Amino acid sequence: NAGVTQTPKFQVLKTGQSMTLQCAQDMNHNSMYWYRQDPGMGLRLIYYSASEGTTDKGEVPNGYNVSRLNKREFSLRLESAAPSQTSVYFCASRVIGAGYGYTFGSGTRLTVV
Amino acid sequence: DAKTTQPPSMDCAEGRAANLPCNHSTISGNEYVYWYRQIHSQGPQYIIHGLKNNETNEMASLIITEDRKSSTLILPHATLRDTAVYYCIVRVNTGTASKLTFGTGTRLQVTL
């Protein structure tokens, strides 16, 4: 039982390049989330998926797209990376229902130069 | 959405209880209070949550005031490994998926 797995752990991109951040969970959770964390800041929600086949925008969705590939996997895509997207990206998942906690991955550290 | 207010930083001596306060004066009746912590740059770790009653688990205790406008996370015997940023979060419900809204948290420094 690995929990929430994110790949890659580190990535350096040039401005304008594209890439996809991968997230997979093996806990049979319904909902999945993508957050970003800038230095000295709290986490901000980018996109989330309440259940397989649905996605919704969070607080800071501009410049990103997501795909809920199946119940296990939720990917985040940067189509044209910008320096402002330099951040640490966290994926999380949870079971739908009152009071259940979230499980976070260990993060992807992305630098756009 | 209910917002939370936490002190930016606190210190605690190792072995002593760490009491981390959180103010959430605009909380709604069906919103839970969650506590997470983030050690260094790792992913946030769930600690505890509660609705009305006080809660305790192997990591911590959560004390929620009767009016639910504030709460306190208690680490009964803090260790150096408890040094982290602690986030008090009120859960926002949106349809079938609830979202966590993170503030800047309290940076707890445990010292010898």
Side-chain angles (χ1 to χ4, degrees), chain A residues 67-88:
Chain A
S67 295
R68 183 73 182 269
L69 304 171
N70 46 56
K71 192 171 186 179
R72 292 187 62 249
E73 299 172 289
F74 189 38
S75 62
L76 179 71
R77 183 161 178 83
L78 287 70
E79 291 291 351
S80 179
S84 61
Q85 294 177 304
T86 293
S87 191
V88 180

Side-chain angles (χ1 to χ4, degrees), chain A:
Chain A
N1 187 341
V4 177
T5 303
Q6 293 184 235
T7 55
K9 294 190 182 304
F10 299 93
Q11 183 71 50
V12 178
L13 288 179
K14 294 183 179 179
T15 298
Q17 286 186 317
S18 62
M19 79 161 295
T20 300
L21 281 64
Q22 306 287 352
C23 175
Q25 52 91 8
D26 60 2
M27 298 169 287
N28 203 36
H29 285 177
N30 307 98
S31 301
M32 298 185 73
Y33 306 79
W34 276 105
Y35 285 87
R36 62 175 286 176
Q37 185 174 34
D38 300 326
M41 306 280 288
L43 281 72
R44 292 184 292 170
L45 182 64
I46 306 171
Y47 270 94
Y48 66 99
S49 170
S51 60
E52 186 179 353
T54 68
T55 61
D56 285 286
K57 295 179 180 179
E59 181 185 356
V60 288
N62 291 344
Y64 305 95
N65 286 300
V66 290
S67 295
R68 183 73 182 269
L69 304 171
N70 46 56
K71 192 171 186 179
R72 292 187 62 249
E73 299 172 289
F74 189 38
S75 62
L76 179 71
R77 183 161 178 83
L78 287 70
E79 291 291 351
S80 179
S84 61
Q85 294 177 304
T86 293
S87 191
V88 180
Y89 292 84
F90 291 102
C91 177
S93 70
R94 70 181 288 269
V95 174
I96 290 178
Y100 285 96
Y102 293 61
T103 302
F104 283 83
S106 58
T108 294
R109 283 149 184 77
L110 176 67
T111 302
V112 182
V113 298

Side-chain angles (χ1 to χ4, degrees), chain A residues 33 35 37 41-43 45 48 50 90 94 96-102 104-105 109, chain B residues 32 34 36 38 41-44 46 49 87 91 94 96-100 102-104:
Chain A
Y33 306 79
Y35 285 87
Q37 185 174 34
M41 306 280 288
L43 281 72
L45 182 64
Y48 66 99
F90 291 102
R94 70 181 288 269
I96 290 178
Y100 285 96
Y102 293 61
F104 283 83
R109 283 149 184 77
Chain B
Y32 285 74
Y34 281 81
Y36 284 77
Q38 189 172 24
S41 298
Q42 299 174 19
Y46 166 80
H49 72 276
Y87 295 99
R91 190 184 72 168
T94 303
T96 56
S98 64
K99 301 179 289 185
L100 291 179
F102 286 79
T104 52

Side-chain angles (χ1 to χ4, degrees), chain B residues 63-81:
Chain B
I63 308 298
I64 302 174
T65 58
E66 192 169 342
D67 63 8
R68 303 210 323 125
K69 293 184 177 182
S70 65
S71 61
T72 301
L73 178 74
I74 301 172
L75 307 178
H77 306 286
T79 70
L80 297 177
R81 288 181 293 181

